[in-house]
């Protein structure tokens, strides 16, 4: 603990009053003189009284006014640029770095403070792969179901949705303070959408409609924090980055990319292709003496692709048959 040089009691008390009037806290003053904050308060009340408190308020108000003026001046000059960057998914720290690179004279700390205090909603500083591909796909299932006004199918979800997926989506929603009832509804709609596409393979959703519904959902659930956008469901841009395109995402999930009817599944695969893929994988797993699990199938698909053989993704297979267990039972039966 640091102490000030030896002072008379009058000098010490006057110094406390002056420092308090300058805006220093009671705790900081007390630590400097080796006394409690309460003792500092008593001394200031006795020696400085109302004048010290009024001076303190005036100085703090002046500093706050100066800060607000600096923020307003910064936003007047750079606010529109920052807003446009935010619309493109740029995070606040990255926006500051871009402005610093192009306008070297700006005060970086001021820029960060001004943008943080503004009403500009930036994307959170999170990597695109914060969610698994299954959780990203679940966002599409949910908004597809919402677009079709499907009633939550809790039973189908309980039987067919993967527990890890449910836990991941639930954790993401609860971190944003979504109620347990809304979490259950969302999971139920995901289940209803997956069941619906199995029975109605022409069902689909455009990227533009997905993004529109996502924005409506964020507002409806009160998920518009001042700093950053709600991460789940992910943005259309994130979906496209993870899957290589919007249609690629739909195809990987077994969702049609047009409104025209077709047999269940991807445009590039027939039902026989699905049966062959699962059957070949089961033969491979038996020969390798490994379990024919969903995760092992996805690994096998990657090896097949590296060998020049294109196979349906695990998510698409699961959608076509209903569950991974159903897929195994189908080919083994």
């Amino acid at each position: 603990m640091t102490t000030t040089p030896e002072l008379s009691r009058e000098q010490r008390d006057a110094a406390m009053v002056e420092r308090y009037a300058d805006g220093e806290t009671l705790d900081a003053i007390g630590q400097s003189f080796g006394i409690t904050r309460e003792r500092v308060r008593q001394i200031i009340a006795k020696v400085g009284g109302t004048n010290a408190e009024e001076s303190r308020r005036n100085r703090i108000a002046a500093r706050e006014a100066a800060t607000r003026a600096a923020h307003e001046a910064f936003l007047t000059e750079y606010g529109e640029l920052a807003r446009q960057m935010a619309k493109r998914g740029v995070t606040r720290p990255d926006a500051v770095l871009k402005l610093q690179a192009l306008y070297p004279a700006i005060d970086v700390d001021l820029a960060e403070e001004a943008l943080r205090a503004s009403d500009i909603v930036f994307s959170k500083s999170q990597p695109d792969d914060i969610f698994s591909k299954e959780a990203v796909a679940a966002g599409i299932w949910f908004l597809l179901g919402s677009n079709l006004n499907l009633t939550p199918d809790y039973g189908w979800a309980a039987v067919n949705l993967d527990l890890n997926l449910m836990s991941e989506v639930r954790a993401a929603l609860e971190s944003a303070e979504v109620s347990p009832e809304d979490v259950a509804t969302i999971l139920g709609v995901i289940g209803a959408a997956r069941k619906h596409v199995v029975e109605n393979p022409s069902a689909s959703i455009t990227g533009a409609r997905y993004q529109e519904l996502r924005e409506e959902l964020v507002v409806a659930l009160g998920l518009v924090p001042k700093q950053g956008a709600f991460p789940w469901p992910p943005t259309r841009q994130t979906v496209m980055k993870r899957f290589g395109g919007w249609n690629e995402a739909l195809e990987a999930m077994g969702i049609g990319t047009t409104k025209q009817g077709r047999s269940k599944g991807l445009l590039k695969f027939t039902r026989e292709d699905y049966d062959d893929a699962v059957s070949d994988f089961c033969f491979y797993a038996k020969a390798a003496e490994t379990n024919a699990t969903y995760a092992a199938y996805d690994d096998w698909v990657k090896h097949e692709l590296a060998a020049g053989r294109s196979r349906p993704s695990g998510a698409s297979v699961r959608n076509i048959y209903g569950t991974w267990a159903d897929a195994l039972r189908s080919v083994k039966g």
Side-chain angles (χ1 to χ4, degrees):
M1 179 183 298
T2 60
T3 58
T4 58
E6 286 296 325
L7 300 172
S8 67
R9 187 176 68 179
E10 291 76 12
Q11 290 174 322
R12 181 201 66 174
D13 293 352
M16 289 184 187
V17 172
E18 181 178 358
R19 289 169 61 175
Y20 183 73
D22 284 342
E24 196 166 347
T25 66
L26 296 176
D27 280 328
I29 296 171
Q31 290 180 18
S32 177
F33 286 95
I35 59 178
T36 65
R37 69 184 306 275
E38 176 58 21
R39 181 56 184 153
V40 174
R41 188 194 64 76
Q42 293 172 358
I43 292 172
I44 291 173
K46 178 180 178 181
V47 179
T50 304
N51 290 337
E53 185 61 40
E54 183 178 354
S55 177
R56 171 185 171 82
R57 287 197 300 267
N58 290 340
R59 287 177 183 271
I60 291 175
R63 284 201 297 268
E64 290 177 347
T67 299
R68 284 196 299 272
H71 288 178
E72 290 172 3
F74 176 86
L75 292 173
T76 296
E77 188 166 359
Y78 303 106
E80 183 56 29
L81 291 176
R83 199 176 300 278
Q84 291 180 32
M85 285 189 278
K87 288 182 178 179
R88 291 178 172 269
V90 176
T91 64
R92 188 180 65 247
D94 286 352
V96 172
L97 291 175
K98 293 179 77 172
L99 290 173
Q100 180 187 22
L102 294 167
Y103 305 96
I106 70 168
D107 183 322
V108 174
D109 292 334
L110 171 63
E112 175 66 27
E113 292 171 1
L115 293 178
R116 183 185 295 112
S118 74
D119 62 353
I120 302 173
V121 179
F122 291 92
S123 294
K124 287 189 175 180
S125 302
Q126 297 173 326
D128 288 333
D129 60 353
I130 184 173
F131 296 118
S132 67
K133 263 193 172 183
E134 288 75 15
V136 172
I140 300 177
W141 286 120
F142 171 61
L143 293 180
L144 171 62
S146 299
N147 191 48
L148 296 171
N149 295 316
L150 298 181
T151 300
D153 193 328
Y154 302 107
W156 197 97
V159 173
N160 296 285
L161 291 188
D162 182 76
L163 178 59
N164 290 333
L165 170 64
M166 294 176 66
S167 299
E168 185 177 0
V169 172
R170 181 181 177 185
L173 292 168
E174 289 182 343
S175 70
E177 300 184 353
V178 178
S179 70
E181 292 75 17
D182 284 336
V183 171
T185 297
I186 289 170
L187 292 173
V189 171
I190 292 172
R194 286 187 50 186
K195 178 182 179 182
H196 180 85
V197 169
V198 171
E199 299 170 349
N200 303 271
S202 63
S204 189
I205 184 171
T206 66
R209 181 58 177 159
Y210 171 92
Q211 188 64 18
E212 179 183 356
L213 287 173
R214 178 187 183 274
E215 292 171 1
E216 290 178 4
L217 168 73
V218 168
V219 174
L221 293 181
L223 300 169
V224 188
K226 191 168 185 179
Q227 305 301 329
F230 180 48
W232 193 95
T235 64
R236 176 179 58 177
Q237 289 81 0
T238 296
V239 172
M240 294 173 68
K241 285 181 181 178
R242 294 299 299 277
F243 286 91
W246 184 256
N247 283 342
E248 286 76 6
L250 298 183
E251 290 181 351
M253 297 165 60
I255 298 176
T257 56
T258 73
K259 293 297 183 180
Q260 298 174 355
R262 61 176 61 87
S263 60
K264 297 178 182 179
L266 306 183
L267 291 173
K268 61 191 296 186
F269 297 114
T270 64
R271 179 55 185 257
E272 289 72 23
D273 292 331
Y274 281 95
D275 291 341
D276 288 344
V278 178
S279 180
D280 290 348
F281 166 70
C282 289
F283 179 81
Y284 161 83
K286 183 176 181 180
E289 298 183 350
T290 61
N291 292 327
T293 64
Y294 175 83
Y297 175 83
D298 266 348
D299 289 337
W300 176 77
V301 168
K302 294 176 184 177
H303 291 301
E304 287 288 282
L305 185 60
R309 295 182 292 272
S310 180
R311 302 283 195 167
S313 68
S316 183
V317 168
R318 190 160 56 184
N319 180 58
I320 293 301
Y321 294 94
T323 68
W324 176 247
D326 286 338
L328 297 180
R329 280 194 288 269
S330 177
V331 298
K332 290 180 179 178

